[in-house]
Amino acid sequence: MQEVRPERGVRADLWTEWRGGPTVHCFLCAHHCRIAPGDRGLCGVRENRDGTLFTLVYACAVSTAVDPVEKKPLYHFMPGTRTYSLATVGCNFTCAFCQNAEISQMPRDRGRVVGTPLSPGEAVEEALESGCGSISFTYTEPTIFYEYARDCARAAVKQGLKNIFVTNGYMTREMLNDIDGDLHAANVDLKSYSDVFYRTLVGARLKPVLDSIRRLWEMGVWVEVTTLLISGKNDSPGELRSLAEFLASVSADIPWHVSRFHPAYRMLDTPPTAVATIETALRIGREAGLKYLYGGNVAGHASESTACPSCGTVVVERNGFRVGKNAVRNGRCAVCGTEIAGRWSL
Ligand code: SF4
């Protein structure tokens, strides 16, 4: 893995001079950093050089892999297909419970930006060669390597591939407008329904994430939402109800994945979440009107599969990331004909 040399970097988009410069205002994400010359933004990968903002991670991949699309997790988007996963270092959040801190927090924790050169064209080529139907910008936060992700996405569309963001949702409207038409699915991490949780454990605010979920849905992007439940932090029934009601207010068709926390990063002393807590959250989601509810990190649990919201028939059977029976026909339950929301064939 190569260290990014100081002279590397590509002129960034989505920024402007702040009060005539040389300080700049980055509006790629909802932090809206004001960055003085020589400094970097909160994400650690955007640098002001003499009044011009540069991204340090363009075409600089820290991790690539071929995954089942179910691993993102996306359960209602091209099930059973493979997706080419791509990440750079860096993140605009500082989650104390990050499961990928080694690469996401590297620029801040270790002052390092590393990666292997991989152009958008090469990434698309690798995706096609490995039989993938899509590219997923994932593992870290795609917003902070946006210019790279966008150029990959545009090249991918030309080759008939779809694009997926696995994201914390802290993007601006300007960024979403820019990717409109080239993004097909997103799994958005809605970490809590409490602004205090976001401020203290994540280093961000709640509202921009809610706004992004609504905006992505309005753009026609297929959206699924994941919440990692952490005992005593974000799992009170009242908070879960508010969160589920918010999702239902956007659309009852949004699948909600409720995952078990396992000790990680700065929360190694916090115990894993009980399966009973996950089941309570699934019940609350159902009561709020959501049609598709899934437990995450609960291997073998019945909630891994998709049931028709009308007749209860299991229409997509899953075992971990493996898809078994698929009884969705032209977007409908093969037994009763009810529409099953999603993008089943593209
Ligand atoms: S992308 Fe980085 S530099 Fe830009 S506003 Fe977000 S954290 Fe700040």
Side-chain angles (χ1 to χ4, degrees):
M1 203 67 65
Q2 294 178 15
E3 195 91 26
V4 172
R5 293 187 305 278
E7 68 273 19
R8 268 195 68 178
V10 169
R11 194 182 199 277
D13 294 332
L14 299 169
W15 63 276
T16 187
E17 286 179 350
W18 174 247
R19 293 183 174 156
T23 293
V24 301
H25 167 198
C26 176
F27 51 90
L28 175 56
C29 94
H31 281 307
H32 286 277
C33 294
R34 271 62 162 176
I35 309 168
D39 285 351
R40 294 181 185 174
L42 280 173
C43 55
V45 296
R46 292 168 84 76
E47 185 174 274
N48 181 343
R49 294 184 188 156
D50 299 324
T52 299
L53 191 65
F54 283 78
T55 165
L56 305 182
V57 288
Y58 189 92
C60 188
V62 75
S63 181
T64 61
V66 174
D67 291 323
V69 74
E70 284 72 21
K71 196 173 174 184
K72 298 301 112 192
L74 283 176
Y75 280 9
H76 292 229
F77 186 83
M78 302 168 70
T81 62
R82 289 192 280 188
T83 186
Y84 182 79
S85 299
L86 176 60
T88 74
V89 297
C91 187
N92 48 357
F93 281 11
T94 54
C95 303
F97 46 90
C98 183
Q99 319 262 314
N100 274 332
E102 176 107 358
I103 52 176
S104 73
Q105 302 302 315
M106 183 189 283
R108 256 191 304 256
D109 285 356
R110 290 155 60 192
R112 297 181 66 204
V113 176
V114 303
T116 301
L118 183 74
S119 72
E122 289 167 336
V124 170
E125 218 168 280
E126 287 193 9
L128 291 168
E129 277 170 8
S130 49
C132 293
S134 60
I135 298 186
S136 289
F137 304 97
T138 180
Y139 303 142
T140 59
E141 173 50 45
T143 305
I144 62 90
F145 61 91
Y146 176 68
E147 293 87 351
Y148 181 32
R150 179 202 55 202
D151 290 355
C152 289
R154 288 182 180 164
V157 164
K158 286 188 186 141
Q159 297 297 327
L161 295 171
K162 304 299 176 191
N163 296 301
I164 295 166
F165 270 21
V166 181
T167 175
N168 59 33
Y170 215 57
M171 50 265 284
T172 56
R173 184 164 276 262
E174 290 87 344
M175 194 221 95
L176 288 173
N177 288 345
D178 199 58
I179 196 74
D180 196 0
D182 293 317
L183 182 64
H184 307 95
N187 186 297
V188 183
D189 219 6
L190 179 52
K191 295 169 190 289
S192 155
Y193 205 69
S194 152
D195 195 55
V196 172
F197 180 101
Y198 265 87
R199 279 190 279 119
T200 55
L201 288 173
V202 171
R205 305 299 298 259
L206 169 64
K207 187 166 181 307
V209 184
L210 303 182
D211 291 345
S212 292
I213 291 172
R214 199 175 283 281
R215 174 76 183 125
L216 283 161
W217 189 261
E218 288 168 359
M219 283 162 57
V221 174
W222 176 253
V223 175
E224 305 195 15
V225 167
T226 297
T227 303
L228 184 74
L229 288 193
I230 307 172
S231 301
K233 302 291 185 195
N234 61 355
D235 62 344
S236 77
E239 181 177 338
L240 293 173
R241 195 169 305 283
S242 300
L243 191 158
E245 284 172 358
F246 164 75
L247 294 181
S249 78
V250 179
S251 173
D253 286 338
I254 293 179
W256 187 29
H257 301 261
V258 187
S259 285
R260 285 181 79 204
F261 164 84
H262 289 293
Y265 195 38
R266 295 194 172 126
M267 292 183 72
L268 292 171
D269 295 335
T270 305
T273 308
V275 174
T277 307
I278 301 296
E279 289 170 342
T280 300
L282 298 178
R283 177 178 53 74
I284 288 171
R286 210 166 293 119
E287 288 168 0
L290 294 174
K291 294 182 196 165
Y292 309 105
L293 296 145
Y294 302 104
N297 299 335
V298 281
H301 198 270
S303 65
E304 284 184 331
S305 295
T306 302
C308 169
S310 291
C311 71
T313 300
V314 171
V315 284
V316 183
E317 206 172 57
R318 296 183 194 84
N319 189 346
F321 300 129
R322 279 193 308 280
V323 175
K325 176 184 92 173
N326 184 342
V328 178
R329 301 282 174 270
N330 299 319
R332 296 185 175 276
C333 169
V335 174
C336 73
T338 294
E339 185 183 352
I340 311 294
R343 306 285 190 270
W344 302 104
S345 54
L346 291 165

